[in-house]
Amino acid sequence: MQPFVSHTGIVSPLDRANVDTDQIIPKQFLKRIERTGFGQFLFFDWRFLADGTLNPEFELNRPVVNGASVLLARRNFGCGSSREHAPWALADYGFKVVIAPTFADIFFNNCFQNGMLPIRLAEEDVDELFRRARTAEASGQPYRLRVDLPACVVTDDAGFSRSFSVDPFRKRCLLEGLDDIGLSLQHVDKIAAWEADHAVPAGA
Amino acid sequence: MSSTPRTLLDKIWDAHVVCTPSGELPILYIDRHLVHEVTSAQAFEGLRLAGRRVRRPEKTFATPDHNIPTTDRRLPIADPISKQQIDTLRNNCREFGVRLFDLGDADQGIVHVIGPELGITQPGMTIVCGDSHTATHGAMGALAFGIGTSEVEHVLATQTLRQAKPKSLELRVEGELHAGVTAKDLVLYLIGRLSTEGGTGHVIEYTGPCIRRLGMEERMTVCNMSIEAGARAGMIAPDQVTFDYLRGRDYAPRDFDRAVAEWERFPGDPGAVFDRVEIFQGGDVVPQVTWGTNPAQVVGIDATVPDPTAFRDPNERDSGSRALDYMGLAGGTKIVDIPLDRVFIGSCTNSRIEDLRAAANVVRGYRVAPTVHAMVVPGSGRVKRQAEQEGLDRVFRDAGFEWREAGCSMCLGMNPDTLEPGQRCASTSNRNFEGRQGKGGRTHLVSPAMAAAAAVTGHFTDIRHWLYR
Ligand code: SF4
């Protein structure tokens, strides 16, 4: 996995709550057996019109957020289906960071597995970020945020600075780009010992 | 030995922590790993690339369910990409030595239907699957939750998972349900009260007399939808109902009485403390119908579609208005006045034999309304055969329902079973998200009996006043 240390990028606001993984990547694109190439289908039903052209009304399609890598979202982002295709699609599209007041559990875990950082900020801070993004965009400028993972802070150029928390293990895995499985396999003797102790588990 | 009283979750958790390496997340042992075609291909590929094997193939069980046609199984799969995904599962299971309940196998079915049905899932176990409705198996008194594909790979390689211990939420339901009110109505009601994120970070344990009275399949319906309240898992302590259900199943323990003696130790101790407790009254629940695009947007059959502009929370106001727009509904419309185009009876929430019996009882002696296209998709090959033995297929067919082969089908419409844009469907599944059953499709979640009644009358109908024939 690519290590994640710090990142500065354009913010793409998505002002709606309870965005579920069915919206992030609709089911017709789950038939692929690869991990890559899902970005083109991200938010498909919202991003594209029936005739296949880009929907100009959809927030992510506005030219001002072109090249965005920080997704700013509302409450309960990533709810519903466990499909890891959702973070695959977001990452493949170019997102490195997702900021929201709350995330659904499975989606939250899945992000870390793909070198993408989900950041929980207080609802009023997220409100403030939406305001700042709107103001910048109104003057034709994209809004940028900088995320510093070692220090756990999000900042902009105009005085916004908030710290966030992240599980220390997840943090280390991101910083060092560690492979979870490799780490767990270092404890294979303990796993084997557990299995030996439970050779006749309740139910066998 | 005196120790602090523990909950069901505490006991299962403690019994499965292999170790907690310093500064890392605990490593949790996984007793059962269920696998389906949509979320596993990339995980097996990861193993292959890293030169790893499946650590415990005998604890791993696979079946294709999401992406398969529910029409004649003797015909080849028409969609080449669907076919490739199913072939990939088949090849992976062969290569890694995993038991596959393949298409054409008598025991094939929706993974959350066949696990309990075959006795693969048992009390006190940790169970995972790359699928958010894995919580279903918690009805057996297990800790069962959905995981992503990277975690699927982790479990395949290590038979463990890295997990922080979730918080516990007791949902106690007092009293009992009224006649005509089902487990589906109960869980929709609970989700409506909790919101779609009310359970985030928690494992729900459903307790109380109303829950104890539920049969095993009803308990599965309740636990199944825990994820729709944001909880990764839902569970119900094992009791005689659980043991009676499991006895004699194919994969049930051979020394069953000894196993029961073990399982009886799992229910929480008196005085065990939950992180959070919420109490509800079973008698408050009426038949439920969702009106919006998430399962918490739900009201009773006797109510009207709400007016979201009156909601206090700005997020809810916004998502409620968006939902009504998508659903083509106006606030104030009576639920019983909403007409339907389609009816779907199926999914891991409501496709077991008792669900089909409940629906058939409603339909018997009636015809599907001429404006409605209705289908029944049994949850597994076994459920289908059982229903056919009982003549339920005849009841459905005579009424004008389609009778299909087992699979997920129009719960998510990955296969050819989908809604057309704008079509409105009464569905016994678990998600009414935008486009879930087909782009532009409008889903209302209901119980099997309510879906059956709606199929007959062509609009939502209060099942409590149904004239059974
Ligand atoms: S029936 Fe629906 S919810 Fe259940 S496993 Fe299949 S697709 Fe998922």
Side-chain angles (χ1 to χ4, degrees), chain B residues 66 110 112 131 133 347-348 408 411-412 430 436:
Chain B
H66 282 64
I110 304 174
H112 309 310
D131 192 284
H133 293 100
S347 91
C348 58
C408 294
C411 173
L412 91 165
N430 43 51
R436 171 79 179 181

Side-chain angles (χ1 to χ4, degrees), chain A residues 142-202:
Chain A
Y143 179 59
R144 283 196 171 76
L145 279 173
R146 176 181 163 74
V147 175
D148 178 343
L149 181 57
C152 285
V153 287
V154 188
T155 50
D156 72 3
D157 296 339
F160 182 92
S161 175
R162 291 292 179 283
S163 57
F164 59 89
S165 67
V166 50
D167 174 84
F169 175 63
R170 294 287 181 222
K171 181 173 170 179
R172 197 181 115 214
C173 290
L174 276 184
L175 286 173
E176 300 176 27
L178 294 176
D179 160 27
D180 255 21
I181 299 179
L183 276 182
S184 293
L185 284 174
Q186 290 175 6
H187 305 284
V188 71
D189 50 333
K190 295 223 174 65
I191 298 173
W194 192 96
E195 285 174 334
D197 278 355
H198 298 75
V200 188

